[in-house]
mmCIF file of all heavy atoms in Angstrom:
data_model
loop_
_atom_site.group_PDB
_atom_site.id
_atom_site.type_symbol
_atom_site.label_atom_id
_atom_site.label_comp_id
_atom_site.label_asym_id
_atom_site.label_seq_id
_atom_site.Cartn_x
_atom_site.Cartn_y
_atom_site.Cartn_z
ATOM 1 N N VAL F 163 20.810 -35.690 -54.332
ATOM 2 C CA VAL F 163 22.152 -35.697 -54.923
ATOM 3 C C VAL F 163 22.105 -35.044 -56.302
ATOM 4 O O VAL F 163 22.917 -34.160 -56.617
ATOM 5 C CB VAL F 163 22.714 -37.138 -55.028
ATOM 6 C CG1 VAL F 163 24.034 -37.131 -55.787
ATOM 7 C CG2 VAL F 163 22.894 -37.743 -53.645
ATOM 8 N N LEU F 164 21.125 -35.455 -57.111
ATOM 9 C CA LEU F 164 21.072 -34.890 -58.470
ATOM 10 C C LEU F 164 20.714 -33.413 -58.440
ATOM 11 O O LEU F 164 21.260 -32.610 -59.198
ATOM 12 C CB LEU F 164 20.072 -35.679 -59.320
ATOM 13 C CG LEU F 164 20.510 -37.112 -59.634
ATOM 14 C CD1 LEU F 164 19.462 -37.815 -60.471
ATOM 15 C CD2 LEU F 164 21.853 -37.128 -60.358
ATOM 16 N N LEU F 167 23.997 -31.696 -57.411
ATOM 17 C CA LEU F 167 25.158 -31.781 -58.305
ATOM 18 C C LEU F 167 24.849 -31.397 -59.748
ATOM 19 O O LEU F 167 25.750 -31.013 -60.490
ATOM 20 C CB LEU F 167 25.741 -33.202 -58.290
ATOM 21 C CG LEU F 167 26.256 -33.754 -56.957
ATOM 22 C CD1 LEU F 167 26.833 -35.140 -57.159
ATOM 23 C CD2 LEU F 167 27.289 -32.818 -56.351
ATOM 24 N N ALA F 168 23.574 -31.534 -60.151
ATOM 25 C CA ALA F 168 23.316 -31.401 -61.589
ATOM 26 C C ALA F 168 21.968 -30.764 -61.919
ATOM 27 O O ALA F 168 21.319 -31.134 -62.891
ATOM 28 C CB ALA F 168 23.410 -32.782 -62.244
ATOM 29 N N GLN F 171 21.337 -29.345 -65.324
ATOM 30 C CA GLN F 171 22.497 -29.822 -66.080
ATOM 31 C C GLN F 171 22.236 -31.272 -66.491
ATOM 32 O O GLN F 171 21.190 -31.835 -66.187
ATOM 33 C CB GLN F 171 23.743 -29.748 -65.196
ATOM 34 C CG GLN F 171 24.253 -28.332 -64.986
ATOM 35 C CD GLN F 171 25.545 -28.358 -64.206
ATOM 36 O OE1 GLN F 171 25.577 -28.804 -63.065
ATOM 37 N NE2 GLN F 171 26.611 -27.896 -64.838
ATOM 38 N N GLU F 172 23.229 -31.872 -67.110
ATOM 39 C CA GLU F 172 23.044 -33.249 -67.572
ATOM 40 C C GLU F 172 23.702 -34.249 -66.631
ATOM 41 O O GLU F 172 24.751 -33.989 -66.054
ATOM 42 C CB GLU F 172 23.658 -33.422 -68.970
ATOM 43 C CG GLU F 172 22.898 -32.654 -70.037
ATOM 44 C CD GLU F 172 23.532 -32.823 -71.414
ATOM 45 O OE1 GLU F 172 24.454 -33.663 -71.575
ATOM 46 O OE2 GLU F 172 23.086 -32.114 -72.328
ATOM 47 N N ALA F 173 23.036 -35.405 -66.510
ATOM 48 C CA ALA F 173 23.626 -36.544 -65.811
ATOM 49 C C ALA F 173 23.835 -37.631 -66.871
ATOM 50 O O ALA F 173 22.886 -38.043 -67.528
ATOM 51 C CB ALA F 173 22.699 -37.038 -64.712
ATOM 52 N N ILE F 174 25.062 -38.066 -67.005
ATOM 53 C CA ILE F 174 25.349 -39.098 -68.001
ATOM 54 C C ILE F 174 25.097 -40.465 -67.376
ATOM 55 O O ILE F 174 25.617 -40.774 -66.304
ATOM 56 C CB ILE F 174 26.813 -39.015 -68.473
ATOM 57 C CG1 ILE F 174 27.079 -37.624 -69.074
ATOM 58 C CG2 ILE F 174 27.119 -40.109 -69.485
ATOM 59 C CD1 ILE F 174 28.523 -37.430 -69.505
ATOM 60 N N VAL F 175 24.269 -41.277 -68.023
ATOM 61 C CA VAL F 175 23.947 -42.592 -67.450
ATOM 62 C C VAL F 175 23.817 -43.633 -68.564
ATOM 63 O O VAL F 175 23.323 -43.335 -69.651
ATOM 64 C CB VAL F 175 22.658 -42.515 -66.584
ATOM 65 C CG1 VAL F 175 21.460 -42.092 -67.402
ATOM 66 C CG2 VAL F 175 22.391 -43.825 -65.867
ATOM 67 N N THR F 198 17.135 -32.688 -63.398
ATOM 68 C CA THR F 198 18.357 -33.058 -64.104
ATOM 69 C C THR F 198 17.990 -33.688 -65.445
ATOM 70 O O THR F 198 17.033 -34.454 -65.519
ATOM 71 C CB THR F 198 19.149 -34.083 -63.265
ATOM 72 O OG1 THR F 198 19.488 -33.478 -62.031
ATOM 73 C CG2 THR F 198 20.407 -34.525 -63.980
ATOM 74 N N LEU F 199 18.726 -33.353 -66.472
ATOM 75 C CA LEU F 199 18.471 -33.976 -67.782
ATOM 76 C C LEU F 199 19.296 -35.237 -67.880
ATOM 77 O O LEU F 199 20.502 -35.210 -67.664
ATOM 78 C CB LEU F 199 18.888 -33.008 -68.901
ATOM 79 C CG LEU F 199 18.155 -31.677 -68.870
ATOM 80 C CD1 LEU F 199 19.046 -30.578 -69.441
ATOM 81 C CD2 LEU F 199 16.850 -31.773 -69.625
ATOM 82 N N ASN F 221 27.879 -28.707 -70.190
ATOM 83 C CA ASN F 221 26.686 -28.745 -69.352
ATOM 84 C C ASN F 221 26.553 -30.048 -68.551
ATOM 85 O O ASN F 221 25.515 -30.333 -67.968
ATOM 86 C CB ASN F 221 25.454 -28.533 -70.246
ATOM 87 C CG ASN F 221 24.267 -28.047 -69.440
ATOM 88 O OD1 ASN F 221 24.436 -27.372 -68.419
ATOM 89 N ND2 ASN F 221 23.079 -28.419 -69.868
ATOM 90 N N THR F 222 27.603 -30.839 -68.526
ATOM 91 C CA THR F 222 27.548 -32.087 -67.761
ATOM 92 C C THR F 222 27.719 -31.792 -66.271
ATOM 93 O O THR F 222 28.698 -31.163 -65.876
ATOM 94 C CB THR F 222 28.672 -33.045 -68.213
ATOM 95 O OG1 THR F 222 28.551 -33.246 -69.620
ATOM 96 C CG2 THR F 222 28.559 -34.381 -67.502
ATOM 97 N N GLY F 223 26.746 -32.270 -65.449
ATOM 98 C CA GLY F 223 26.828 -32.000 -64.016
ATOM 99 C C GLY F 223 27.375 -33.176 -63.236
ATOM 100 O O GLY F 223 28.035 -33.010 -62.208
ATOM 101 N N VAL F 224 27.085 -34.381 -63.708
ATOM 102 C CA VAL F 224 27.463 -35.562 -62.938
ATOM 103 C C VAL F 224 27.545 -36.787 -63.857
ATOM 104 O O VAL F 224 26.834 -36.867 -64.864
ATOM 105 C CB VAL F 224 26.448 -35.798 -61.777
ATOM 106 C CG1 VAL F 224 25.080 -36.185 -62.290
ATOM 107 C CG2 VAL F 224 26.954 -36.845 -60.787
ATOM 108 N N ILE F 225 28.451 -37.691 -63.492
ATOM 109 C CA ILE F 225 28.475 -39.003 -64.136
ATOM 110 C C ILE F 225 27.824 -39.964 -63.164
ATOM 111 O O ILE F 225 28.207 -40.033 -61.996
ATOM 112 C CB ILE F 225 29.916 -39.458 -64.451
ATOM 113 C CG1 ILE F 225 30.555 -38.488 -65.452
ATOM 114 C CG2 ILE F 225 29.916 -40.887 -64.989
ATOM 115 C CD1 ILE F 225 32.064 -38.689 -65.597
ATOM 116 N N LEU F 226 26.796 -40.649 -63.663
ATOM 117 C CA LEU F 226 25.958 -41.421 -62.764
ATOM 118 C C LEU F 226 26.083 -42.909 -63.021
ATOM 119 O O LEU F 226 26.128 -43.339 -64.175
ATOM 120 C CB LEU F 226 24.515 -40.966 -63.024
ATOM 121 C CG LEU F 226 23.378 -41.690 -62.351
ATOM 122 C CD1 LEU F 226 23.449 -41.476 -60.866
ATOM 123 C CD2 LEU F 226 22.062 -41.131 -62.887
ATOM 124 N N LYS F 227 26.167 -43.658 -61.937
ATOM 125 C CA LYS F 227 26.143 -45.123 -62.051
ATOM 126 C C LYS F 227 25.004 -45.624 -61.173
ATOM 127 O O LYS F 227 24.883 -45.218 -60.020
ATOM 128 C CB LYS F 227 27.491 -45.685 -61.575
ATOM 129 C CG LYS F 227 27.611 -47.186 -61.724
ATOM 130 C CD LYS F 227 29.047 -47.631 -61.424
ATOM 131 C CE LYS F 227 29.165 -49.146 -61.429
ATOM 132 N NZ LYS F 227 28.751 -49.761 -62.695
ATOM 133 N N ILE F 256 34.451 -33.644 -63.114
ATOM 134 C CA ILE F 256 33.009 -33.881 -62.978
ATOM 135 C C ILE F 256 32.813 -34.938 -61.884
ATOM 136 O O ILE F 256 33.475 -35.978 -61.914
ATOM 137 C CB ILE F 256 32.421 -34.395 -64.310
ATOM 138 C CG1 ILE F 256 32.553 -33.310 -65.383
ATOM 139 C CG2 ILE F 256 30.962 -34.802 -64.149
ATOM 140 C CD1 ILE F 256 32.255 -33.804 -66.768
ATOM 141 N N PRO F 257 31.923 -34.684 -60.914
ATOM 142 C CA PRO F 257 31.725 -35.691 -59.861
ATOM 143 C C PRO F 257 31.074 -36.968 -60.386
ATOM 144 O O PRO F 257 30.268 -36.919 -61.317
ATOM 145 C CB PRO F 257 30.806 -34.984 -58.852
ATOM 146 C CG PRO F 257 30.167 -33.871 -59.607
ATOM 147 C CD PRO F 257 31.113 -33.471 -60.696
ATOM 148 N N VAL F 258 31.439 -38.084 -59.769
ATOM 149 C CA VAL F 258 30.838 -39.369 -60.127
ATOM 150 C C VAL F 258 29.988 -39.835 -58.953
ATOM 151 O O VAL F 258 30.455 -39.882 -57.803
ATOM 152 C CB VAL F 258 31.936 -40.425 -60.413
ATOM 153 C CG1 VAL F 258 31.309 -41.740 -60.852
ATOM 154 C CG2 VAL F 258 32.910 -39.904 -61.464
ATOM 155 N N TYR F 259 28.721 -40.143 -59.252
ATOM 156 C CA TYR F 259 27.774 -40.547 -58.207
ATOM 157 C C TYR F 259 27.262 -41.947 -58.492
ATOM 158 O O TYR F 259 26.873 -42.249 -59.604
ATOM 159 C CB TYR F 259 26.615 -39.537 -58.161
ATOM 160 C CG TYR F 259 25.354 -40.026 -57.475
ATOM 161 C CD1 TYR F 259 25.404 -40.702 -56.251
ATOM 162 C CD2 TYR F 259 24.094 -39.794 -58.033
ATOM 163 C CE1 TYR F 259 24.241 -41.137 -55.626
ATOM 164 C CE2 TYR F 259 22.929 -40.219 -57.414
ATOM 165 C CZ TYR F 259 23.007 -40.899 -56.219
ATOM 166 O OH TYR F 259 21.860 -41.341 -55.604
ATOM 167 N N GLU F 260 27.259 -42.798 -57.470
ATOM 168 C CA GLU F 260 26.686 -44.137 -57.640
ATOM 169 C C GLU F 260 25.476 -44.332 -56.738
ATOM 170 O O GLU F 260 25.558 -44.218 -55.520
ATOM 171 C CB GLU F 260 27.737 -45.224 -57.339
ATOM 172 C CG GLU F 260 27.153 -46.621 -57.475
ATOM 173 C CD GLU F 260 28.177 -47.728 -57.664
ATOM 174 O OE1 GLU F 260 29.390 -47.423 -57.723
ATOM 175 O OE2 GLU F 260 27.754 -48.900 -57.744
ATOM 176 N N VAL F 291 30.322 -39.607 -54.646
ATOM 177 C CA VAL F 291 29.113 -39.648 -53.826
ATOM 178 C C VAL F 291 28.433 -41.011 -54.034
ATOM 179 O O VAL F 291 28.359 -41.501 -55.168
ATOM 180 C CB VAL F 291 28.129 -38.515 -54.208
ATOM 181 C CG1 VAL F 291 26.850 -38.609 -53.380
ATOM 182 C CG2 VAL F 291 28.779 -37.148 -54.034
#
Side-chain angles (χ1 to χ4, degrees):
V163 174
L164 292 180
L167 299 182
Q171 286 185 298
E172 292 179 9
I174 301 177
V175 61
T198 299
L199 301 150
N221 201 29
T222 304
V224 67
I225 297 168
L226 173 66
K227 183 172 174 58
I256 296 169
V258 183
Y259 161 45
E260 179 160 358
V291 178

